[in-house]
Amino acid sequence: MRRFLITTVPVALMVGMLSTGGMASADVGDVDVDGDLSSALDLPSGVSLDTSSTAGGMLGVATRAFNDFPRAGAGSYAVMSTGRATDLFNLDLPGRQPSANFGGSPDKASLSLTVPSGARTESGETARCLLVDVSMGTEERVHYATENVPGDNLSVLLNGSSREYAMHVGPRWFAQETAAMAPVRYSVNAIKYWHGIDQEFERQPDDASSPLLPEITPFDQFTSVDTLEVPLTANGDAIDDVITMSVQDVNNNSLDTVMLMDRVRLTPHCSNEQGAETGLFASRNFEIAGHRGVNNTLTIDLIPETDVIERYDSADNGWFPAGGVDLRFRWYRSMGSCTTSEMRQWEPIHDADRQSFTPKIAEKGKCILALVTGLKDGYRSETFPSPGATEWRATLPIQDGVFTSVEAPSVSNEDGGDAVRVNDVLAANHGVFTPRPDSYKYEWLADGSAISGESGRTYKVTPSQAGKRIRVRVTASRLNFVNLPALSGETNPVDLLNLESTPVPTISGSGRALDELSVVPGAWQPDPVALSYQWFVDGAVIAGATSSTYRTTAAQVGKAISVHVTGRKAGYVPVTRQSAPISITDRAFITAPTPQIQGTGLAGDSLTVVPGTWDPTVTPKYEWFADNVAISGAGGSSYRPTEAQQGQQIHVVATGSLPGYTTTSRQSLPITVSLRELVGPKPEIIGDPYVGTQVRVDAGTWNPSHATLKFRWLEDGTPIKGATDRYFMLTQAQAGKHVTVEVTATLTNYEKVIVESFPIVPQIRVFMTQAPRISGTPKVGSALTAQPRDWLPTPVSTRYEWFLGNQSLGTGSYLMVPPSAAGKRLRLVMTGTRQHYATATATATSGVVARAALTSSTPTIGGTARPGKVLRINRGFWGPSPVTYRYQWYLGKKAIPRATKSSYKVPKKYRNKKIRVRVTGSKLGFTTVSRYSTYVKIAKK
């Protein structure tokens, strides 16, 4: 450990500091909102407490050690919060976010201390100053807003004046000519010294594993412990002094802030008064211990000649007078010279007010300076080294950080054993480095030589490493750190090989009790491999079952039998393979009949089960079901259904069981629970069946007569929404439909009956219609037009649809005649609609559709007109396409048999003859056309 020496000259001024001192291991206590606050604050004799202005629950007493509280010699301390005081140590809050709101505006808690006139200190002197130790905790963001932005704050006021005594000293505890003191209000946005919970580089000065602030609170940030001073009047005029202390949320009332308070005491002087005692000084030069690297912790060693680093709160911390001096710390980074004692040349480091400090990247290349201030009640504070010295000595510039290897890397075998064999997979455990690396690199070695290409966290041992010892080199890396390689220990020499083929065995056999099972081990390689066997039942060894066969027992019914096959071969690792288990089954009943149910099925009547004869004989157990749901408590041979089960299907399940036999269940056919019937007539609809007419239902007389009747009207079998009265108004929607009424009769203990009336068909007015006209020529490819004729009354809307037979050709007043209509008549259907009128249609029929003319050309014959040559047809243009063609070749006027293709090979017998061809074109909807070519004469040879 490198130490950086700083000389010391004591000077009078005051500073503050905090640490937890391993609080995570202290006794754990909750915050008691009913605790004795006066005792927790250690109030001096005569000083009284008033909490009446604060809502219940915002004040409490804590005993759990945290953040230097309780203070030395005290057993408890006070907690004051803008939310619930008990939330200080409540890690079960949603999102771990203290955000209680007691409805105040602003969200504020306060208490008052009254110091009587003439109050005395413990030593009997006139009290002229009140001191209290405090710390501020918050959920708000720190280092976020500028100092002048209002934020959550602590406040200490005297006698109602506006002068604020809750002031944080800021970056220094003394003033120089070119660097004034810069105290700020105890506000979240003003204070620059905060400490988070369980921060990686904030640890106890004497224990690097203990967090500065352990994770026992949901609050995010805390200040170091501070001592606030309030000067008392002490004027002898019998006027009491009232000191008001408060904590307040600003801007939002949802994120809480807390104030820890302890050790209220009275002294003859405040530290900044002329009459304050002097004589504090550091009796020894302290040193800065630690490596001067980024993220390497530096610690102020208060007494360098000892083997340990003394804590700031040790009884002997190197300051005089011994045992009574509190120490405060401030750390700075250089802005120029590393030896200047001008404070303006040193930049304060935010949050660095502890005995230990970890440089960050902002400090790289800069020197680090630490100042220590001693505090004692009634004394002036003193700072070391002296602010008046001509030269300060700081650390050398901060360089890249270095790791400390706390635990060396190691190599583990994934199979968990110490032996290492060929094909084993080894894993590198990177060990423990401080601080935590960002990444690791791995290099595997065999007998000290690097194994080519092996740089992963795992390594599969190859045959070439047999007999060698394996180790791994782990190199830790982190941004702004010097890489640190570390070697693991060596493994045992790599030995033995694995068998090439070790198949999973299978079991052959029925799996029934008392039957023999055989193992099929498969082919183990390299051959030969000696095999041994061990049989298991439910995972337990079966004594003596070590052959390749095994006969099961009756006691093993329902259990799983498996076998382990172990292969052994000299020079190879023995291997054991386990088969899949086979479940042992028992025998079935010879006869297990289906039970029957006797009874009427009427609610209230008893049902009885007839089980039939089981072989072997057994007395079944019964369970009754309604609609496949077990009926609670129904386990006898009879059951009486209830009215509530009307319509449900009742069945019974008979279950037989005997040792050695499969428990078997049989289910009866169901019987439906029914009720008695209501009797009534078919209802009748009374009234004229016209749209706009109100009709009613005559339900007739029912037996019993006190049955409850309900009505529902329907159109074409579909219920009409809201139509549930005896009367119903027929609307346009019911015109032409079948309107009925449904009467539902109900009565306790009777089956509900629904009866529907005969239908009525409401009538609506009808049109006087005339058939439409069809204008245009009914010819393929021509356009036809629909023209309406007079209807009475005129339809509101008209629709036209064209038909060829029953085939719809489309809708609209125009139609282009398709080829498929040739030789047929077209039909035009006109449909008219009007409110309150029945939709009507009228039909017109066209004349017979004429075929269209097909365009054709006179064909010509191409090719050489000689015997043995092929003649081909040139058709010319025919249209519109597509056109279907047929061909016939002629010798003179006589058709040549089978000459019906578009080409023709002339035979020798037709020398000196004339030949022509006929082309016939046809197309759907068009007139078929035939055209002849001119004759060609066939040459003689």
PDB file of all heavy atoms in Angstrom, residues 168-188:
ATOM      1  N   HIS A 168     -25.465  24.447   5.627  1.00  0.00           N
ATOM      2  CA  HIS A 168     -24.428  23.460   5.308  1.00  0.00           C
ATOM      3  C   HIS A 168     -23.157  24.216   4.965  1.00  0.00           C
ATOM      4  O   HIS A 168     -23.181  25.173   4.182  1.00  0.00           O
ATOM      5  CB  HIS A 168     -24.879  22.600   4.134  1.00  0.00           C
ATOM      6  CG  HIS A 168     -23.971  21.441   3.859  1.00  0.00           C
ATOM      7  ND1 HIS A 168     -22.832  21.553   3.102  1.00  0.00           N
ATOM      8  CD2 HIS A 168     -24.042  20.130   4.263  1.00  0.00           C
ATOM      9  CE1 HIS A 168     -22.247  20.377   3.027  1.00  0.00           C
ATOM     10  NE2 HIS A 168     -22.959  19.491   3.722  1.00  0.00           N
ATOM     11  N   VAL A 169     -21.997  23.795   5.539  1.00  0.00           N
ATOM     12  CA  VAL A 169     -20.763  24.577   5.408  1.00  0.00           C
ATOM     13  C   VAL A 169     -20.279  24.663   3.967  1.00  0.00           C
ATOM     14  O   VAL A 169     -19.573  25.588   3.600  1.00  0.00           O
ATOM     15  CB  VAL A 169     -19.667  23.979   6.313  1.00  0.00           C
ATOM     16  CG1 VAL A 169     -19.184  22.662   5.756  1.00  0.00           C
ATOM     17  CG2 VAL A 169     -18.511  24.957   6.479  1.00  0.00           C
ATOM     18  N   GLY A 170     -20.671  23.698   3.113  1.00  0.00           N
ATOM     19  CA  GLY A 170     -20.240  23.751   1.714  1.00  0.00           C
ATOM     20  C   GLY A 170     -18.854  23.179   1.515  1.00  0.00           C
ATOM     21  O   GLY A 170     -18.438  22.247   2.209  1.00  0.00           O
ATOM     22  N   PRO A 171     -18.064  23.720   0.571  1.00  0.00           N
ATOM     23  CA  PRO A 171     -16.808  23.089   0.159  1.00  0.00           C
ATOM     24  C   PRO A 171     -15.642  23.271   1.131  1.00  0.00           C
ATOM     25  O   PRO A 171     -14.651  22.576   1.011  1.00  0.00           O
ATOM     26  CB  PRO A 171     -16.511  23.739  -1.192  1.00  0.00           C
ATOM     27  CG  PRO A 171     -17.152  25.086  -1.092  1.00  0.00           C
ATOM     28  CD  PRO A 171     -18.411  24.876  -0.297  1.00  0.00           C
ATOM     29  N   ARG A 172     -15.691  24.208   2.064  1.00  0.00           N
ATOM     30  CA  ARG A 172     -14.539  24.406   2.984  1.00  0.00           C
ATOM     31  C   ARG A 172     -15.039  25.012   4.294  1.00  0.00           C
ATOM     32  O   ARG A 172     -16.072  25.673   4.347  1.00  0.00           O
ATOM     33  CB  ARG A 172     -13.467  25.307   2.356  1.00  0.00           C
ATOM     34  CG  ARG A 172     -14.021  26.572   1.734  1.00  0.00           C
ATOM     35  CD  ARG A 172     -12.943  27.287   0.910  1.00  0.00           C
ATOM     36  NE  ARG A 172     -13.552  28.335   0.088  1.00  0.00           N
ATOM     37  CZ  ARG A 172     -14.052  28.140  -1.123  1.00  0.00           C
ATOM     38  NH1 ARG A 172     -13.991  26.932  -1.659  1.00  0.00           N
ATOM     39  NH2 ARG A 172     -14.596  29.134  -1.799  1.00  0.00           N
ATOM     40  N   TRP A 173     -14.220  24.784   5.335  1.00  0.00           N
ATOM     41  CA  TRP A 173     -14.581  25.204   6.683  1.00  0.00           C
ATOM     42  C   TRP A 173     -13.742  26.393   7.144  1.00  0.00           C
ATOM     43  O   TRP A 173     -13.643  26.657   8.343  1.00  0.00           O
ATOM     44  CB  TRP A 173     -14.396  24.035   7.651  1.00  0.00           C
ATOM     45  CG  TRP A 173     -15.414  22.968   7.438  1.00  0.00           C
ATOM     46  CD1 TRP A 173     -15.422  22.038   6.475  1.00  0.00           C
ATOM     47  CD2 TRP A 173     -16.587  22.782   8.213  1.00  0.00           C
ATOM     48  NE1 TRP A 173     -16.532  21.248   6.561  1.00  0.00           N
ATOM     49  CE2 TRP A 173     -17.277  21.685   7.660  1.00  0.00           C
ATOM     50  CE3 TRP A 173     -17.147  23.412   9.333  1.00  0.00           C
ATOM     51  CZ2 TRP A 173     -18.468  21.206   8.163  1.00  0.00           C
ATOM     52  CZ3 TRP A 173     -18.328  22.928   9.854  1.00  0.00           C
ATOM     53  CH2 TRP A 173     -18.990  21.852   9.266  1.00  0.00           C
ATOM     54  N   PHE A 174     -13.149  27.076   6.216  1.00  0.00           N
ATOM     55  CA  PHE A 174     -12.333  28.245   6.570  1.00  0.00           C
ATOM     56  C   PHE A 174     -12.351  29.201   5.389  1.00  0.00           C
ATOM     57  O   PHE A 174     -12.800  28.850   4.291  1.00  0.00           O
ATOM     58  CB  PHE A 174     -10.893  27.831   6.896  1.00  0.00           C
ATOM     59  CG  PHE A 174     -10.225  27.081   5.778  1.00  0.00           C
ATOM     60  CD1 PHE A 174      -9.602  27.756   4.727  1.00  0.00           C
ATOM     61  CD2 PHE A 174     -10.218  25.703   5.758  1.00  0.00           C
ATOM     62  CE1 PHE A 174      -8.999  27.052   3.703  1.00  0.00           C
ATOM     63  CE2 PHE A 174      -9.616  24.992   4.723  1.00  0.00           C
ATOM     64  CZ  PHE A 174      -8.998  25.676   3.696  1.00  0.00           C
ATOM     65  N   ALA A 175     -11.853  30.389   5.605  1.00  0.00           N
ATOM     66  CA  ALA A 175     -11.806  31.405   4.555  1.00  0.00           C
ATOM     67  C   ALA A 175     -10.361  31.827   4.330  1.00  0.00           C
ATOM     68  O   ALA A 175      -9.553  31.877   5.260  1.00  0.00           O
ATOM     69  CB  ALA A 175     -12.656  32.611   4.938  1.00  0.00           C
ATOM     70  N   GLN A 176     -10.031  32.066   3.094  1.00  0.00           N
ATOM     71  CA  GLN A 176      -8.778  32.696   2.723  1.00  0.00           C
ATOM     72  C   GLN A 176      -9.091  34.006   2.006  1.00  0.00           C
ATOM     73  O   GLN A 176     -10.234  34.268   1.620  1.00  0.00           O
ATOM     74  CB  GLN A 176      -7.973  31.766   1.806  1.00  0.00           C
ATOM     75  CG  GLN A 176      -7.431  30.526   2.499  1.00  0.00           C
ATOM     76  CD  GLN A 176      -6.614  29.665   1.551  1.00  0.00           C
ATOM     77  OE1 GLN A 176      -6.800  29.696   0.339  1.00  0.00           O
ATOM     78  NE2 GLN A 176      -5.689  28.875   2.123  1.00  0.00           N
ATOM     79  N   GLU A 177      -8.060  34.766   1.804  1.00  0.00           N
ATOM     80  CA  GLU A 177      -8.276  36.081   1.179  1.00  0.00           C
ATOM     81  C   GLU A 177      -8.916  35.935  -0.194  1.00  0.00           C
ATOM     82  O   GLU A 177      -9.751  36.753  -0.602  1.00  0.00           O
ATOM     83  CB  GLU A 177      -6.936  36.826   1.068  1.00  0.00           C
ATOM     84  CG  GLU A 177      -7.070  38.231   0.483  1.00  0.00           C
ATOM     85  CD  GLU A 177      -5.741  38.957   0.451  1.00  0.00           C
ATOM     86  OE1 GLU A 177      -4.775  38.488   1.085  1.00  0.00           O
ATOM     87  OE2 GLU A 177      -5.673  39.993  -0.207  1.00  0.00           O
ATOM     88  N   THR A 178      -8.554  34.882  -0.911  1.00  0.00           N
ATOM     89  CA  THR A 178      -9.089  34.700  -2.270  1.00  0.00           C
ATOM     90  C   THR A 178     -10.140  33.604  -2.342  1.00  0.00           C
ATOM     91  O   THR A 178     -10.576  33.232  -3.423  1.00  0.00           O
ATOM     92  CB  THR A 178      -7.948  34.348  -3.232  1.00  0.00           C
ATOM     93  OG1 THR A 178      -7.293  33.171  -2.761  1.00  0.00           O
ATOM     94  CG2 THR A 178      -6.953  35.494  -3.331  1.00  0.00           C
ATOM     95  N   ALA A 179     -10.538  33.049  -1.195  1.00  0.00           N
ATOM     96  CA  ALA A 179     -11.541  31.970  -1.201  1.00  0.00           C
ATOM     97  C   ALA A 179     -12.372  32.078   0.063  1.00  0.00           C
ATOM     98  O   ALA A 179     -11.949  31.643   1.140  1.00  0.00           O
ATOM     99  CB  ALA A 179     -10.870  30.603  -1.274  1.00  0.00           C
ATOM    100  N   ALA A 180     -13.526  32.706  -0.059  1.00  0.00           N
ATOM    101  CA  ALA A 180     -14.400  32.885   1.090  1.00  0.00           C
ATOM    102  C   ALA A 180     -15.129  31.585   1.392  1.00  0.00           C
ATOM    103  O   ALA A 180     -15.243  30.702   0.560  1.00  0.00           O
ATOM    104  CB  ALA A 180     -15.407  34.003   0.809  1.00  0.00           C
ATOM    105  N   MET A 181     -15.618  31.494   2.645  1.00  0.00           N
ATOM    106  CA  MET A 181     -16.480  30.365   2.971  1.00  0.00           C
ATOM    107  C   MET A 181     -17.769  30.478   2.158  1.00  0.00           C
ATOM    108  O   MET A 181     -18.178  31.592   1.785  1.00  0.00           O
ATOM    109  CB  MET A 181     -16.797  30.340   4.466  1.00  0.00           C
ATOM    110  CG  MET A 181     -15.575  30.043   5.327  1.00  0.00           C
ATOM    111  SD  MET A 181     -15.979  29.900   7.079  1.00  0.00           S
ATOM    112  CE  MET A 181     -16.958  28.421   7.074  1.00  0.00           C
ATOM    113  N   ALA A 182     -18.377  29.366   1.856  1.00  0.00           N
ATOM    114  CA  ALA A 182     -19.572  29.380   0.982  1.00  0.00           C
ATOM    115  C   ALA A 182     -20.654  28.483   1.553  1.00  0.00           C
ATOM    116  O   ALA A 182     -21.049  27.493   0.940  1.00  0.00           O
ATOM    117  CB  ALA A 182     -19.195  28.944  -0.425  1.00  0.00           C
ATOM    118  N   PRO A 183     -21.149  28.813   2.772  1.00  0.00           N
ATOM    119  CA  PRO A 183     -22.234  27.994   3.326  1.00  0.00           C
ATOM    120  C   PRO A 183     -23.506  28.144   2.506  1.00  0.00           C
ATOM    121  O   PRO A 183     -23.741  29.174   1.878  1.00  0.00           O
ATOM    122  CB  PRO A 183     -22.405  28.535   4.746  1.00  0.00           C
ATOM    123  CG  PRO A 183     -21.928  29.947   4.663  1.00  0.00           C
ATOM    124  CD  PRO A 183     -20.814  29.943   3.655  1.00  0.00           C
ATOM    125  N   VAL A 184     -24.342  27.093   2.503  1.00  0.00           N
ATOM    126  CA  VAL A 184     -25.600  27.113   1.753  1.00  0.00           C
ATOM    127  C   VAL A 184     -26.700  26.594   2.673  1.00  0.00           C
ATOM    128  O   VAL A 184     -26.446  25.944   3.685  1.00  0.00           O
ATOM    129  CB  VAL A 184     -25.519  26.240   0.492  1.00  0.00           C
ATOM    130  CG1 VAL A 184     -24.510  26.789  -0.487  1.00  0.00           C
ATOM    131  CG2 VAL A 184     -25.199  24.783   0.846  1.00  0.00           C
ATOM    132  N   ARG A 185     -27.943  26.889   2.308  1.00  0.00           N
ATOM    133  CA  ARG A 185     -29.085  26.380   3.061  1.00  0.00           C
ATOM    134  C   ARG A 185     -29.129  24.854   2.967  1.00  0.00           C
ATOM    135  O   ARG A 185     -28.658  24.248   2.008  1.00  0.00           O
ATOM    136  CB  ARG A 185     -30.386  26.953   2.493  1.00  0.00           C
ATOM    137  CG  ARG A 185     -30.749  28.325   3.000  1.00  0.00           C
ATOM    138  CD  ARG A 185     -32.257  28.519   2.947  1.00  0.00           C
ATOM    139  NE  ARG A 185     -32.942  27.574   3.824  1.00  0.00           N
ATOM    140  CZ  ARG A 185     -34.268  27.447   3.884  1.00  0.00           C
ATOM    141  NH1 ARG A 185     -35.040  28.187   3.101  1.00  0.00           N
ATOM    142  NH2 ARG A 185     -34.830  26.573   4.708  1.00  0.00           N
ATOM    143  N   TYR A 186     -29.725  24.255   3.984  1.00  0.00           N
ATOM    144  CA  TYR A 186     -29.920  22.809   3.963  1.00  0.00           C
ATOM    145  C   TYR A 186     -31.066  22.492   3.004  1.00  0.00           C
ATOM    146  O   TYR A 186     -32.180  22.182   3.399  1.00  0.00           O
ATOM    147  CB  TYR A 186     -30.216  22.278   5.363  1.00  0.00           C
ATOM    148  CG  TYR A 186     -29.062  21.463   5.902  1.00  0.00           C
ATOM    149  CD1 TYR A 186     -28.097  22.047   6.708  1.00  0.00           C
ATOM    150  CD2 TYR A 186     -28.926  20.133   5.565  1.00  0.00           C
ATOM    151  CE1 TYR A 186     -27.029  21.299   7.185  1.00  0.00           C
ATOM    152  CE2 TYR A 186     -27.863  19.382   6.040  1.00  0.00           C
ATOM    153  CZ  TYR A 186     -26.909  19.973   6.845  1.00  0.00           C
ATOM    154  OH  TYR A 186     -25.851  19.235   7.307  1.00  0.00           O
ATOM    155  N   SER A 187     -30.759  22.602   1.687  1.00  0.00           N
ATOM    156  CA  SER A 187     -31.732  22.372   0.631  1.00  0.00           C
ATOM    157  C   SER A 187     -31.183  21.320  -0.319  1.00  0.00           C
ATOM    158  O   SER A 187     -29.970  21.292  -0.592  1.00  0.00           O
ATOM    159  CB  SER A 187     -32.024  23.667  -0.129  1.00  0.00           C
ATOM    160  OG  SER A 187     -32.707  23.399  -1.338  1.00  0.00           O
ATOM    161  N   VAL A 188     -32.054  20.460  -0.839  1.00  0.00           N
ATOM    162  CA  VAL A 188     -31.625  19.405  -1.757  1.00  0.00           C
ATOM    163  C   VAL A 188     -30.869  19.983  -2.942  1.00  0.00           C
ATOM    164  O   VAL A 188     -29.868  19.419  -3.398  1.00  0.00           O
ATOM    165  CB  VAL A 188     -32.848  18.582  -2.236  1.00  0.00           C
ATOM    166  CG1 VAL A 188     -32.471  17.670  -3.399  1.00  0.00           C
ATOM    167  CG2 VAL A 188     -33.408  17.751  -1.097  1.00  0.00           C
TER     168      VAL A 188
END
